[in-house]
Amino acid sequence: MAGWVVLMVRVPSEPARHRVAVWRELRKAGATPLGPGAWALPDLPAVEAVLDRVAELVQRASGDLLRLRSTGLDEVDNDLLLARYHSARDDEWREFLADCDKYLAELVKEHTHEKYTLAELEEEEQSLDRLRRWYREIRGRDLIGKSNPVADKVLKECVARFDEYAEAVYRKLGDPGPAPGS
């Protein structure tokens, strides 16, 4: 990798919404926190738009933004920053996978209790859509391209289990059972 863009951000503490907006933008972009007000992003063309948005947010807040192109002093420093970047992505993937596990457990519970209603189906579909969005967001933040084959596989499993649940709901709704009095 060519290097990093290091951002030194100073924004007044009040109103807090400005600090929060900058923090959210940097987190959404996959920036790695280095310390209070210091962040690093891979020095890639895709980062330019992020830098522009952060600069605009900092300017709106009457703050200061210092942008530096950087590399470590030696290979150990470069490896440490890369490890921090990958660790942040790994943490996100772990949290994503934990939510996928909860989602799969919820589908098992609904099958076990035969809770085959359109309302429940819609709720499960919304949960799956949230997982899909989250997956895309994490992939989008990983500018260096470290993929997670386990996450790919688990998300596909979530989709397959949802499809099975949807089929069970439609079967149940299409087959009302014996008529009263028969």
Side-chain angles (χ1 to χ4, degrees), residues 108-148:
V108 167
K109 183 182 91 171
E110 301 309 351
H111 272 302
T112 301
H113 293 106
E114 296 184 6
K115 191 171 182 185
Y116 298 132
T117 66
L118 289 177
E120 190 61 38
L121 179 62
E122 184 175 342
E123 184 180 319
E124 299 305 340
E125 186 173 31
Q126 288 171 358
S127 295
L128 180 59
D129 288 344
R130 184 186 64 78
L131 289 172
R132 286 175 169 150
R133 277 191 310 276
W134 191 6
Y135 175 87
R136 286 190 305 269
E137 288 168 3
I138 297 171
R139 295 277 313 236
R141 276 192 286 278
D142 192 358
L143 301 175
I144 297 176
K146 185 178 179 226
S147 68
N148 189 313

Side-chain angles (χ1 to χ4, degrees), residues 33-94:
L34 302 176
W39 299 80
L41 283 159
D43 190 2
L44 299 168
V47 170
E48 293 301 319
V50 174
L51 297 177
D52 291 343
R53 287 191 303 273
V54 169
E56 182 182 319
L57 292 169
V58 170
Q59 183 180 15
R60 261 192 240 154
S62 300
D64 298 316
L65 174 64
L66 177 61
R67 299 171 296 176
L68 304 167
R69 284 202 159 78
S70 177
T71 59
L73 290 178
D74 58 26
E75 201 60 38
V76 172
D77 292 327
N78 286 328
D79 291 347
L80 178 61
L81 190 50
L82 188 59
R84 283 185 181 186
Y85 185 83
H86 286 315
S87 176
R89 301 296 77 77
D90 291 344
D91 289 347
E92 289 177 311
W93 284 122
R94 269 191 294 281

Side-chain angles (χ1 to χ4, degrees), residues 145-180:
K146 185 178 179 226
S147 68
N148 189 313
V150 173
D152 298 346
K153 180 182 173 198
V154 171
L155 183 59
K156 286 177 185 171
E157 183 179 349
C158 288
V159 171
R161 297 299 152 251
F162 170 78
D163 289 345
E164 290 172 5
Y165 178 70
E167 287 177 27
V169 169
Y170 292 129
R171 269 194 313 272
K172 175 73 172 176
L173 295 175
D175 180 15

